[in-house]
Amino acid sequence: MTAFVFYLFAALAIASGAMVVTARNPVHSVLFLILTFFNVAGLFILLGAEFVAMIMVIVYVGAVAVLFLFVVMMLDIHAVTLREGFTKILPVGAVVALVLFVELALVFGTWLMAPDLDAVRGAPTPAVGELSNTQAIGAVLYTDYVYLFQLAGIVLLVGMIGSIMLTLRARVGVKRQNPRTQANRPLEDCIEVKKVATGKGV
Amino acid sequence: MAEFWTDFLWPLILILVKILAFILPLLLAVAYLTYAERKVIAAMHLRKGPNVVGPFGLLQPMADGLKLFIKETVVPTGANPVVFLMAPVVTFTLALVGWAVIPVSEGWVVADINVGILYLFAVSSLGIYGIIMAGWASNSKYAFLGGLRSAAQMVSYEVSIGFIIVTVLLSAGSLNLSQIVRAQSGLWYCIPHFPMFVLFLISALAETNRTPFDLPEAESELVGGYNTEYSAMTFAMFFLGEYANMILMSSLCVILFLGGWLPPIAVAPFTWIPGVIWFALKVSAVLFFYLWARATLPRYRYDQLMRLGWKVFLPMSLGWVVITAVALHLFGWLPPRA
């Protein structure tokens, strides 16, 4: 049963992944990308990593893909014009894919060739029955790897500030609202309180 | 064959029955929420509200449903038909699947999963898709603008809802909704976390696109917003989805802050009433707040809405997370590790 569900999710993930690149309409591409994320989340649940699966859905589907969809919907992109440089870029893409593949193969290869390293693989996560994986992740992330975790946060912060700085421009002639002056207006200038009898209306 | 029955078929039937036991009352509640809304708003406006169909107008939701059911579904010529029809289905489905993890009473839950609150958060963050897909696929300016507004609004308020949830999680020490409710047996979190309770109620209004944050369907500027081009059953599904989402957010509020199925005081006359009744009462009270807000408040302007979300709610909720964490640590109130 588990095997069947695994192959279902895996096949759907690969198929929708392929549709992301081949769909003619960019919006459809993004929607297929969302489907891919969902199937990957399903695979995580099969692995017993429900926390990662939920974070996957919240972060990638709920936030990142929404932004993708925003951009793709707002821009007038046509898949055909996008594809014009396809053959030119293809070798670069192939090289990137090859490097990724080799790296993955190396990781798996080390586990196979050096059995003593295999112990490291399962070490950080305790058995599912002992501790839920949310607690397991928290226990390593905020203790052993707390500096790296903070560093990742700072990298994100820098990225955020950078993108705001790039897009921020001072415009002249904009009438801004000043909430403080509005909130500080005396009550008598703004509203008049009338006593209304219950069920009567004004 | 016997194994197939005990291991697979019987659990499947059991789950289906459980799902039905949740969905049927939910749909009934949705139908009567629309009725309650019209009656409550009418009472606040000194009108009578629906009172013709059936006794006290009680059959009005059925009549409305039948009307929408027998109308014609129109798909605009320029629309993208698959996405156009998928959008209401997505909205409605997402409004229903969230109920899988809601515990309405001790042990009364379809799936009592470890990461229940994250699941709910994920489902509510997916709610954007139905609306943004509808806006895009309609191939209409009003619908598109409505869809974009709604998406921006939901993304903004989700951030503060996330932080509000974190404060509750810090206090309860679990992501499981039933555990969160049990952790409130001494004190409901609406008392220590009162500011967050208020923030959550307001954010829930924004998250479900209700007045005063119903900008996506601001009729004075955007006609019907994202559902401008929808008719008949496709419109009905958006409508049902919106109301089911309201009930879902109210239940989440009850679970996080109002002690779920727990009675207000655990003494004799209160403990006789079953938990599910308490749950329903509390959800109704929160829903009444929704209707009350709709009858009372004017609509926000868009820039004010964004300012409120990012410059007021976000710093406040983030600050409260820090305060909660420090207080729990200093006073040693951290929940024990499960």
Side-chain angles (χ1 to χ4, degrees), chain B residues 9-327:
Chain B
L9 212 56
W10 178 241
L12 185 75
I13 293 171
L14 213 62
I15 288 174
L16 285 179
V17 169
K18 274 187 188 171
I19 291 173
L20 271 184
F22 262 80
I23 299 264
L24 291 180
L26 175 68
L27 289 180
L28 205 67
V30 166
Y32 278 92
L33 179 60
T34 65
Y35 172 80
E37 173 166 42
R38 295 169 73 175
K39 275 291 191 191
V40 167
I41 293 178
M44 290 180 181
H45 290 172
L46 303 179
R47 293 183 284 113
K48 281 210 171 79
N51 64 347
V52 176
V53 190
F56 307 106
L58 273 172
L59 295 177
Q60 185 70 43
M62 309 299 152
D64 287 341
L66 190 68
K67 181 199 78 174
L68 285 169
F69 191 69
I70 57 178
K71 277 192 167 183
E72 185 192 353
T73 304
V74 181
V75 181
T77 326
N80 189 317
V82 178
V83 181
F84 184 81
L85 293 176
M86 213 157 75
V89 177
V90 166
T91 305
F92 187 58
T93 315
L94 285 174
L96 295 186
V97 290
W99 284 89
V101 293
I102 297 276
V104 293
S105 185
E106 180 72 57
W108 288 25
V109 51
V110 176
D112 197 17
I113 58 175
N114 279 334
V115 287
I117 189 81
L118 284 180
Y119 173 83
L120 266 186
F121 193 57
V123 167
S124 80
S125 70
L126 295 179
I128 301 167
Y129 282 107
I131 289 166
I132 200 171
M133 278 158 73
W136 177 77
S138 297
N139 198 14
S140 146
K141 288 184 182 65
Y142 294 123
F144 189 55
L145 285 173
L148 287 183
R149 268 189 182 187
S150 167
Q153 176 178 335
M154 288 168 91
V155 169
S156 312
Y157 280 85
E158 216 144 72
V159 183
S160 54
I161 286 191
F163 282 121
I164 294 167
I165 288 176
V166 169
T167 59
V168 172
L169 296 186
L170 279 172
S171 323
S174 173
L175 293 170
N176 181 303
L177 290 169
S178 306
Q179 297 277 12
I180 292 174
V181 172
R182 277 183 218 118
Q184 296 178 61
S185 56
L187 182 69
W188 293 0
Y189 287 150
C190 66
I191 297 166
H193 291 307
F194 184 72
M196 290 305 104
F197 174 57
V198 176
L199 244 59
F200 188 85
L201 275 180
I202 301 173
S203 304
L205 283 178
E207 182 77 7
T208 47
N209 295 325
R210 293 284 302 178
T211 331
F213 306 110
D214 59 342
L215 291 133
E217 37 191 324
E219 59 281 313
S220 50
E221 37 201 278
L222 281 181
V223 195
Y226 58 88
N227 47 34
T228 305
E229 305 292 338
Y230 283 89
S231 56
M233 273 321 274
T234 49
F235 172 75
M237 284 176 98
F238 271 121
F239 197 73
L240 292 176
E242 187 189 325
Y243 280 80
N245 256 331
M246 272 168 70
I247 305 181
L248 185 66
M249 286 308 275
S250 308
S251 328
L252 185 57
C253 182
V254 166
I255 287 167
L256 292 180
F257 291 104
L258 296 175
W261 63 80
L262 299 170
I265 321 162
V267 290
F270 293 114
T271 45
W272 291 340
I273 301 168
V276 62
I277 307 268
W278 279 120
F279 190 81
L281 278 176
K282 290 173 187 175
V283 171
S284 313
V286 179
L287 283 172
F288 179 77
F289 168 77
Y290 271 71
L291 308 182
W292 188 11
R294 175 161 178 199
T296 317
L297 298 169
R299 187 177 293 133
Y300 253 66
R301 214 173 59 205
Y302 192 68
D303 60 318
Q304 291 173 328
L305 173 90
M306 283 297 153
R307 185 184 160 272
L308 186 72
W310 288 104
K311 293 190 179 169
V312 181
F313 280 18
L314 183 61
M316 271 178 83
S317 50
L318 189 56
W320 197 262
V321 170
V322 176
I323 293 172
T324 312
V326 170

Side-chain angles (χ1 to χ4, degrees), chain A residues 130-140, chain B residues 173 336-338:
Chain A
E130 262 174 60
L131 205 59
S132 79
N133 59 60
T134 316
Q135 285 164 322
I137 289 174
V140 287
Chain B
R337 287 179 71 175

